[in-house]
Amino acid sequence: MSSENESASKHPAPKGPDMRVTIAGVELASPVIAASGTFGYGVEFEDILSLDRIGAFVTKGLSREPMAGNPSPRIIETSSGMINAIGLQNMGVKAFIEQKMPRIREIPGLRVIANVFGFTIEDCIAVIEALNDAPGIDLYELNASCPNTAHGGMVFGTDPALLGELVKATRAISTRPLIVKLSPNVTSIGEMARVAADAGADAVSLVNTFLSLAIDPETRRPRIANVTGGLSGPAIKPIAVRMVYEVSKAVSIPILGMGGILKAEDAVEFMLAGATAVQVGTASYADPRAVENIATGLRRWCTVRDIPRVSDLTGGLIL
Ligand SMILES: Cc1cc2nc3c(=O)[nH]c(=O)nc-3n(C[C@H](O)[C@H](O)[C@H](O)COP(=O)(O)O)c2cc1C
């Protein structure tokens, strides 16, 4: 593990509830994190919200080479969420390190989680090896769950043997803790979490988007050029909370929960179900300040209820 993520507290104990949580030895000022693919490379948001008030941000998925993504239309709104098939458009790991990391490193207190994907295990290893040499990154999140690409992504996340192989190989060369992002498009997400944990994952995050299809009745065509896309937002929240709960029964490594979080109470639900931290994705499309507002709201929620440490919420579900 590199020295910058050995978490001698970047965040002194504040007055009021203690909002700090720890993921695989990395301390975050708040459990509320900006999710991958909905927060750019972080720096785009520095004039919009206080980046030091959020727990961390997750970069757009980074690949070995730059990727243009899928053809448009690739995002549509649904009645309670959105479907996207961006197809993992990104600038590539090398450009990210050279063009974005210098500025990101100047932002005090900002924790950085680099989201990694590839079409083969070798691709993922190459991305992580490039990131290993870049200072200022705290954790890796391995996307084993994208529903919008023909190869890799969800193929890894829905096959237990492949997932185990991928996690084992990538963990072996990672110099930072590895969070494995799980696909919800499986029968037993608890089993997949167990496979990831047994292969060496330091934490798991869930859920990625649900494979979905929207059709325009007039044209009889799919609304998304890729035909299918991933459903996110409030529509998926109760399913995601159930999955976090199942995973919390299956593994003892930390869980980062997400799926449809719009407000502080939603974050509390995920934590009671077993999450140590939460991520906020689609909400940032409606309100770019959503992540900060949810972090502030969660602090208030704890203050009003005299909860001394937000981490006390984790696994607090009463049956
Ligand atoms: C437009 C868009 C792009 C996304 N891109 C990525 C990505 O590159 N890597 C990844 O792991 N997840 C990606 N996701 C999934 C989100 O990080 C998150 O897992 C999912 O949207 C559920 O959370 P939400 O309902 O709060 O959005 C993307 C989601 C959206 C809506």
Side-chain angles (χ1 to χ4, degrees):
M1 194 186 298
S2 67
S3 59
E4 76 271 5
N5 60 25
E6 278 168 3
S7 295
S9 189
K10 262 192 185 183
H11 312 287
K15 291 208 176 77
D18 188 346
M19 299 305 286
R20 295 172 299 177
V21 295
T22 303
I23 306 281
V26 177
E27 185 191 273
L28 312 180
S30 162
V32 183
I33 298 169
S36 179
T38 60
F39 210 72
Y41 301 104
V43 284
E44 296 87 344
F45 283 74
E46 67 177 327
D47 295 331
I48 299 171
L49 50 78
S50 303
L51 288 171
D52 57 340
R53 301 228 181 113
I54 67 175
F57 88 92
V58 188
T59 67
K60 264 177 102 60
L62 299 167
S63 52
R64 204 171 183 170
E65 303 295 337
M67 279 179 58
N70 290 327
S72 293
R74 50 189 195 171
I75 287 192
I76 59 152
E77 197 172 334
T78 62
S79 51
S80 52
M82 63 191 262
I83 298 177
N84 92 83
I86 302 289
L88 297 167
Q89 177 184 3
N90 78 103
M91 67 198 306
V93 67
K94 196 161 169 280
F96 168 73
I97 292 168
E98 286 169 7
Q99 295 168 30
K100 301 291 180 183
M101 274 314 293
R103 178 67 200 122
I104 292 171
R105 289 184 63 200
E106 287 171 3
I107 301 169
L110 180 61
R111 293 290 196 193
V112 182
I113 304 177
N115 184 284
V116 171
F117 73 93
F119 300 104
T120 61
I121 293 179
E122 291 68 34
D123 282 348
C124 294
I125 288 176
V127 177
I128 292 173
E129 279 178 342
L131 292 167
N132 281 344
D133 294 331
I137 296 165
D138 295 289
L139 293 151
Y140 299 143
E141 180 177 67
L142 177 67
N143 180 5
S145 46
C146 179
N148 300 324
T149 50
H151 309 285
M154 202 169 77
V155 178
F156 288 119
T158 54
D159 179 324
L162 265 183
L163 180 68
E165 216 182 306
L166 173 70
V167 174
K168 203 164 172 208
T170 48
R171 184 66 194 90
I173 54 97
S174 295
T175 59
R176 281 134 179 163
L178 187 73
I179 304 165
V180 176
K181 188 163 179 178
L182 300 172
S183 172
N185 299 299
V186 294
T187 308
S188 171
I189 198 159
E191 184 197 335
M192 301 306 279
R194 205 174 299 117
V195 167
D198 289 348
D202 297 284
V204 284
S205 57
L206 61 138
V207 296
N208 208 318
T209 54
F210 286 80
L211 196 57
S212 56
L213 170 63
I215 299 171
D216 180 336
E218 293 303 329
T219 63
R220 303 186 177 200
R221 290 183 176 281
R223 290 189 189 271
I224 292 269
N226 186 56
V227 183
T228 57
L231 179 67
S232 61
I236 69 172
K237 196 191 77 179
I239 317 177
V241 173
R242 185 265 295 173
M243 289 185 158
V244 165
Y245 174 67
E246 281 181 11
V247 167
S248 78
K249 299 288 153 216
V251 298
S252 53
I253 53 177
I255 300 167
L256 294 93
M258 77 200 91
I261 296 177
L262 294 185
K263 54 187 194 301
E265 286 81 356
D266 299 332
V268 173
E269 273 194 65
F270 276 89
M271 294 186 74
L272 292 174
T276 295
V278 297
Q279 296 187 14
V280 175
T282 298
S284 292
Y285 276 82
D287 174 6
R289 299 192 60 189
V291 193
E292 183 184 351
N293 290 342
I294 294 166
T296 308
L298 183 58
R299 167 187 290 281
R300 201 173 307 122
W301 196 91
C302 291
T303 307
V304 168
R305 288 160 185 81
D306 261 337
I307 293 169
R309 285 173 304 271
V310 72
S311 58
D312 292 343
L313 295 174
T314 298
L317 174 69
I318 299 170
L319 295 174

